[in-house]
Amino acid sequence: MFNFSFDKRTMYIIVAVMAGIAVLQYATNPGGLIGLLLSAPGVLIAITFHEFAHGYAAYKLGDNTAKSQGRLSLNPFAHLDPIGTLLLLVAGFGWGKPVEVNPRNYTRKMSMEKGEAIVSAAGPLMNFVLAIIFTLIYCAIYKFASATFLTSTVGWVILLLVSSTISINIGLGVFNLIPLPPLDGSKIIMPFLPYKAKEFFVNNEQIFYIIFILIWITGVAGTIITPAISGISKGILSLGTLIFGL
């Protein structure tokens, strides 16, 4: 068993340093900085709805923890994690402030494990739903807006805002499906693992935090999720163009 002490604050320090480096790179690139600012609304939408979905799913399963803490809210400031939000801005994937839940309060119609999987899946699922909605908005603008509007500064900014929101939601959804703590995917896969694998996973959670840091630093995380992000983006765009006949 890989059992050793690992302070999660170490992970946040490492990620914060990486985020700081990325911000400095943007600061020396005016064009990139403008793009960063234009992506901010998409980040707020993606994180807010992602975390709200977690809390709402838990509430529907019988747990009032998120509601009592004011997390059943669409106020972005109730859900933002400074480091996770910064990374979502500069890297396209990150996280919000985790919603606290108490699986013991879940309905007895299912196991706590399955309840946790449902609550964990609600966040990424919400991001994919938002990506579809904003893709339809994007396609509708192209379908019905005039050529003058599409070539205007206002039209360009609006299309960029919508496009950024689509990309960020897909990135957040896919990233959180990686089956490593502290991401949602680690709980989504639990009901499907054999008993021995579950025991190993739970007893050695800290080693998976180390793995998470390593794949982040080495760029493996991006290599893993980029094909999935690209595939989902193309699929959703194909749906939008099919619906609007573009």
Side-chain angles (χ1 to χ4, degrees):
M1 293 289 184
F2 298 101
N3 249 324
F4 58 90
S5 178
F6 172 67
D7 191 340
K8 295 177 185 178
R9 288 176 297 181
T10 303
M11 179 184 72
Y12 279 94
I13 292 172
I14 294 173
V15 173
V17 170
M18 295 174 64
I21 294 172
V23 169
L24 288 175
Q25 292 174 339
Y26 272 98
T28 58
N29 180 3
L33 187 58
I34 292 173
L36 187 66
L37 294 174
L38 289 174
S39 68
V43 169
L44 294 179
I45 291 170
I47 289 180
T48 299
F49 279 84
H50 180 102
E51 297 302 333
F52 170 82
H54 284 315
Y56 184 75
Y59 175 72
K60 296 301 288 185
L61 289 178
D63 179 33
N64 291 325
T65 304
K67 183 178 181 180
S68 66
Q69 293 179 347
R71 299 300 300 277
L72 288 188
S73 167
L74 292 178
N75 178 0
F77 295 104
H79 305 292
L80 299 183
D81 174 272
I83 302 302
T85 301
L86 184 59
L87 279 169
L88 195 55
L89 274 169
V90 301
F93 44 84
W95 56 82
K97 183 169 66 175
V99 170
E100 292 185 24
V101 298
N102 186 352
R104 293 183 179 84
N105 293 332
Y106 293 162
T107 175
R108 291 297 181 262
K109 295 179 180 179
M110 65 180 70
S111 66
M112 289 192 296
E113 190 177 75
K114 289 182 179 179
E116 283 196 282
I118 291 172
V119 171
S120 296
L125 179 60
M126 175 62 80
N127 290 127
F128 296 139
V129 170
L130 286 171
I132 292 173
I133 291 172
F134 278 92
T135 296
L136 294 178
I137 292 173
Y138 188 91
C139 292
I141 293 173
Y142 254 104
K143 178 73 173 181
F144 301 110
S146 66
T148 302
F149 174 81
L150 293 176
T151 56
S152 68
T153 300
V154 173
W156 176 80
V157 169
I158 290 175
L159 286 174
L160 188 59
L161 286 171
V162 175
S163 176
S164 177
T165 301
I166 295 167
S167 299
I168 289 169
N169 270 286
I170 294 175
L172 182 63
V174 172
F175 178 69
N176 275 278
L177 290 178
I178 296 176
L180 290 173
L183 304 176
D184 297 324
S186 63
K187 293 181 179 178
I188 294 173
I189 66 168
M190 274 297 178
F192 305 100
L193 296 177
Y195 177 78
K196 288 289 186 180
K198 292 177 185 177
E199 186 178 37
F200 178 83
F201 204 95
V202 172
N203 291 338
N204 299 285
E205 183 179 15
Q206 291 180 337
I207 190 65
F208 291 106
Y209 276 95
I210 297 294
I211 295 173
F212 170 74
I213 292 175
L214 289 176
I215 68 170
W216 186 285
I217 293 176
T218 59
V220 174
T223 302
I224 292 172
I225 69 175
T226 296
I229 291 174
S230 178
I232 292 173
S233 298
K234 290 179 180 177
I236 293 176
L237 182 59
S238 295
L239 175 65
T241 56
L242 178 65
I243 291 174
F244 286 95
L246 296 174

